[in-house]
Amino acid sequence: MRDSSTGSTGNTAHPSRRTVLAATVGATAALTIGGTSYAAPDDRHLRTLISRMTLEEKVGQLFVTRVYGHSATAPDQADIDANLKELGVRTAAELIAEYRVGGIIYFTWAHNTRDPHQIADLSNGIQQASLEQPRGLPVLISTDQEHGIVCRVGKPAALFPGAMAVGAGASRSDARALGRVAGRELRAMGIRQNYSPVADVNVNPANPVIGVRSFGAEPDAVAGLVAAEVAGYQGSEVAATAKHFPGHGDTAVDSHYGFPVITHTRSQWEQLDAPPFRAAVRAGIDSIMTAHIMVPALDDSGDPATLSRPILTGILREELGYDGVVVTDSLGMEGVRTKYGDDRVPVLALKAGVDQLLNPPSLAVAWNAVLKAVQDGELTEARLDESILRVLRLKAKLRLFREPYVTQAQVTGTVGIAAHLAAADRIAERTTTLLVNEGRLLPLSRRTHRKVLVVGADPASPSGTTGPPTGVLAGALTELGFTATALSTGTSPSGTTIAKAVAAAQDADAVVVGTYNVTATSAQKTLVEQLVATGRPVVAVAIRNPYDVAQLPSVPACLAAYSWTDVELRAAARVIAGRVAPRGRLPVPVPRADDPAQVLYPVGHGLSYRR
C-alpha cells in the first residue's frame, strides 16, 4: 500500500527514545539537500526537496490527522487500541513512519492535551519521529483554540473570552493582544497552526454551529477584529486560520450533522460574508479553512464549498488573490460526505484547490484514494507539488526547519504566567454586556443582597472551565464579599427542580440565574418567571447566546457573558458586584421573541453604571 521507505516501524516506544529526545530538544535543525543544510530554505530549496520526494511521501504531506495519546511513543493502552482501530497504527510515531503525514491536529478527546508540559513533550516526540525519517520534515501541529466555548488546551494556559465577547468589547487592540498572548503560549507547547479566528458573520440568530464563535453580525466590525487577531497570532509565529470560507454565518443547519445551504445572492455574499475574508487576506493570513456548505450563487453544481473549484480557485485564489494554505474543515463531518464517498472527497478537494486535507474519517481510505488518483492520471504530481510547496513554505516561515523543538523552560516561562492571566481578565472585563437593569438593581449591594443564590444551567464544560458555571459564579461572588451558594438546575429543569430553586430563593437576598439558549417553551423560562414571582431580586446571566433576554421579559436585570468559561463568568461576577462597570455592547441584534423580524435590542446596545 505504501512505499517501503515509509513502512511501519512497529512499536517505537523503546527505552532510549526519551533519552535521545532530551538530548535533541533545544538543538537546531535544518533541511538537508545534497549534503547541504538550509536553516531557512527558500522556494528554490523547497522545490528541490519536493523533486526528490517519492509519490507516497508527497501524498502524506497533504494530510493533517488526529492521533490518540499523550505521548508520541508510549500512549496509554486505550489510546493504542483507538489508534489501531481508526488508523491502523499504535502510536503517533508509527503513524508518521507509515503515512509521512504533514500535520497532526490535537484534540482534548484524543487525550493530546492533558497539561502544557505534556503537550510540549508530545510535540517534541512527534517532531523527532518525523525528522528521523528519510527526507525528514517537521510536522505542522495544529489545534482549535478559538477561546470561549471552543478550547482544546485548558488551564493552566491563559484562556480568553470567545469571539462574540471580543466583538462586544469592540477593541481591535484587545483582539490583537489575545492573538499575541495565545499565540505565544501555543508556540511554547509546539503548536504552530491555530484554526482561529472564526471569520463568519453571524447574521442568523438560529445558527446552531457558529453563534458566539463569531465576532458579530456587522461585516466591517468582524473584518477589523479578524485582521487584528490574525496579526496577533502571526506576530507570535503561529499560523492563524480564517474560517469557514466562503462564510458559515447564515445557516440553521450544523455542518457536522447535515449539509447547510446558504441562499445569499452574489451581491449579498460580497456585502455580508466576504469582508472578513478579504481583510484576512490583506492581513497576510497564513491559512484559510473551507466550509462544508452549499452556496448556489457562487457554485450551482450542488457541491459543498470544500469541493468547489469555482469557489476555492475561482473566488478565493483568483478573485481574492490568496496564495496561502487552504485547509479543509474536518473531512469526517456530514456536510462534506452527503454527496460523495470518503474515497472521492479528498481527491475532489485537491482538484478544487485545497492544500491540506484535515482529519479524514479513514486515513487509509483517503491516502490511498489520492495515491490512486495520481497513478490513474486524475491528479498530476505537479498539482500535488503546488500544495506541498505552500505547506512547506508555511513551515519555513514558522521557522520549523530551524526550530522544530520546544523546551520545558519555554513552557514554564510562557504558559499561564501571571501577566497573561491578567491580560485575559482585563479583556473579559471590557466584554460583559448589561442588557436590562430595571430600578438600577445592579450592582448588587453587599449590605442588602449579601446572601446570593446562584442557579441555572450547567452545560458540558469546555476546557476553559474549572467546574460547573453555577459553582464558578458562586465562588467568584463569594470572593467579592457575598455569601453565595450554588444550585444547578440544568438546561431543562423539571418541576421538582424548579420548586427546589424557588424554595431556596426564599432564604436569599438576591438570585443570579445562568441561562443557556432559552426558547419560548423552555423550562428555563419557567424557572426564571417563578423566581421573579418570589419577589426576590433576580439577575439573569446569558452564558451563551445573548438572545436569551428576549425570552425573559419579566427579569429585572440581565447580562450577556457570551460563554460559561471561567474568565467570562468571573468578569460577569465583578460587574454584578460593581467592582467594574459593564462596558460591552451587543455585536449582534437581539430580535423580539414575538416577532423575530423586529429588533428588540440593536447592535451597540449596552447599559452601564458608575462604579
Side-chain angles (χ1 to χ4, degrees):
M1 180 177 72
R2 286 166 291 281
D3 178 72
S4 59
S5 68
T6 59
S8 173
T9 60
N11 184 1
T12 57
H14 53 78
S16 65
R17 177 171 292 275
R18 181 73 182 194
T19 303
V20 173
L21 180 57
T24 305
V25 171
T28 59
L31 174 63
T32 300
I33 303 174
T36 302
S37 294
Y38 301 93
D42 59 21
D43 277 10
R44 179 172 59 86
H45 301 134
L46 296 177
R47 287 192 176 95
T48 299
L49 171 64
I50 293 169
S51 71
R52 299 183 181 187
M53 294 169 66
T54 66
L55 175 57
E56 289 80 5
E57 288 170 335
K58 291 181 178 182
V59 171
Q61 282 298 301
L62 302 172
F63 283 94
V64 181
T65 185
R66 69 199 177 280
V67 66
Y68 291 86
H70 70 285
S71 165
T73 57
D76 295 338
Q77 186 59 50
D79 293 321
I80 291 174
D81 294 342
N83 284 329
L84 286 170
K85 179 180 179 182
E86 296 185 22
L87 299 166
V89 296
R90 295 166 54 86
T91 67
E94 288 187 18
L95 171 74
I96 290 165
E98 192 83 351
Y99 289 101
R100 301 298 296 276
V101 293
I104 287 178
I105 179 174
Y106 286 169
F107 290 107
T108 308
W109 51 260
H111 309 139
N112 305 137
T113 58
R114 290 181 178 178
D115 64 75
H117 289 281
Q118 166 269 317
I119 295 169
D121 277 343
L122 174 60
S123 299
N124 285 338
I126 287 170
Q127 297 297 1
Q128 183 175 4
S130 187
L131 291 168
E132 287 177 343
Q133 298 299 316
R135 285 170 294 280
L137 296 171
V139 175
L140 188 53
I141 297 172
S142 60
T143 198
D144 291 288
Q145 191 78 349
E146 296 176 12
H147 294 272
I149 68 171
V150 178
C151 281
R152 309 304 186 201
V153 180
K155 291 179 177 294
L159 300 168
F160 286 81
M164 191 171 286
V166 174
S171 169
R172 296 183 183 183
S173 176
D174 281 352
R176 189 177 300 107
L178 185 160
R180 182 174 62 251
V181 172
R184 287 174 181 168
E185 296 204 355
L186 290 174
R187 190 185 190 283
M189 292 178 278
I191 299 170
R192 304 299 290 274
Q193 183 179 24
N194 190 22
Y195 297 134
S196 188
V198 172
D200 303 314
V201 181
N202 198 73
V203 295
N204 187 344
N207 195 321
V209 64
I210 304 301
V212 293
R213 297 168 62 197
S214 163
F215 287 110
E218 296 289 312
D220 290 343
V222 173
L225 294 171
V226 165
E229 202 163 292
V230 168
Y233 276 114
Q234 296 187 178
S236 294
E237 295 187 317
V238 167
T241 308
K243 61 186 185 185
H244 308 78
F245 189 82
H248 209 314
D250 189 7
T251 174
V253 175
D254 185 342
S255 53
H256 289 85
Y257 310 109
F259 186 21
V261 178
I262 306 294
T263 58
H264 291 179
T265 65
R266 176 63 192 245
S267 177
Q268 288 174 320
W269 179 81
E270 292 281 0
Q271 294 173 0
L272 294 174
D273 303 290
F277 292 102
R278 292 186 185 277
V281 172
R282 286 195 299 269
I285 186 82
D286 284 330
S287 53
I288 291 179
M289 180 179 285
T290 69
H292 304 325
I293 58 174
M294 186 198 311
V295 189
L298 305 184
D299 179 1
D300 61 5
S301 68
D303 286 343
T306 297
L307 310 182
S308 169
R309 186 169 180 81
I311 291 175
L312 299 187
T313 296
I315 296 176
L316 181 57
R317 295 284 192 208
E318 296 173 359
E319 293 185 23
L320 271 62
Y322 180 65
D323 193 36
V325 171
V326 174
V327 56
T328 71
D329 205 342
S330 171
L331 297 183
M333 294 167 59
E334 191 63 25
V336 79
R337 303 174 73 191
T338 56
K339 188 174 179 181
Y340 302 100
D342 292 338
D343 59 334
R344 294 299 299 156
V345 166
V347 175
L348 295 174
L350 290 170
K351 293 176 75 171
V354 158
D355 302 306
Q356 288 185 309
L357 301 161
L358 178 62
N359 206 28
S362 171
L363 179 59
V365 168
W367 191 96
N368 280 294
V370 173
L371 180 68
K372 185 175 185 299
V374 178
Q375 292 171 336
D376 291 348
E378 184 179 6
L379 287 171
T380 65
E381 277 200 64
R383 169 65 193 90
L384 267 58
D385 292 351
E386 291 175 12
S387 287
I388 295 167
L389 178 61
R390 290 191 186 101
V391 172
L392 295 183
R393 189 185 286 152
L394 178 54
K395 292 180 181 182
K397 176 185 176 183
L398 297 173
R399 296 199 295 170
L400 275 167
F401 289 102
R402 181 183 305 172
E403 299 175 9
Y405 299 112
V406 294
T407 68
Q408 292 298 336
Q410 288 174 311
V411 175
T412 301
T414 305
V415 180
I417 61 175
H420 290 178
L421 299 177
D425 281 333
R426 285 195 302 271
I427 291 173
E429 286 180 352
R430 294 190 277 267
T431 68
T432 306
T433 307
L434 180 60
L435 302 173
V436 178
N437 193 23
E438 294 179 0
R440 296 185 179 180
L441 171 58
L442 291 179
L444 295 182
S445 166
R446 289 192 298 276
R447 293 190 299 274
T448 57
H449 305 121
R450 187 167 190 84
K451 293 175 63 177
V452 179
L453 173 67
V454 180
V455 302
D458 281 331
S461 297
S463 295
T465 63
T466 55
T470 50
V472 172
L473 261 175
L477 288 169
T478 297
E479 290 178 2
L480 293 167
F482 295 88
T483 302
T485 57
L487 174 62
S488 176
T489 50
T491 55
S492 300
S494 65
T496 301
T497 300
I498 292 173
K500 185 177 179 180
V502 168
Q506 305 298 329
D507 295 325
D509 299 319
V511 181
V512 175
V513 53
T515 65
Y516 182 91
N517 296 356
V518 180
T519 65
T521 59
S522 171
Q524 292 181 69
K525 181 175 181 178
T526 303
L527 169 68
V528 173
E529 290 172 345
Q530 292 196 20
L531 288 170
V532 171
T534 66
R536 296 294 188 271
V538 176
V539 180
V541 181
I543 62 173
R544 185 165 179 166
N545 292 320
Y547 311 115
D548 288 3
V549 65
Q551 301 291 345
L552 307 172
S554 65
V555 74
C558 185
L559 294 165
Y562 305 100
S563 175
W564 59 103
T565 55
D566 286 7
V567 68
E568 286 160 292
L569 293 178
R570 289 196 308 266
R574 291 195 291 276
V575 168
I576 291 170
R579 293 295 180 90
V580 296
R583 295 173 57 182
R585 299 291 183 266
L586 279 174
V588 293
V590 173
R592 293 173 57 97
D594 57 349
D595 184 3
Q598 300 298 315
V599 173
L600 177 63
Y601 296 116
V603 170
H605 173 76
L607 307 177
S608 191
Y609 49 74
R610 293 183 178 180
R611 294 175 56 184

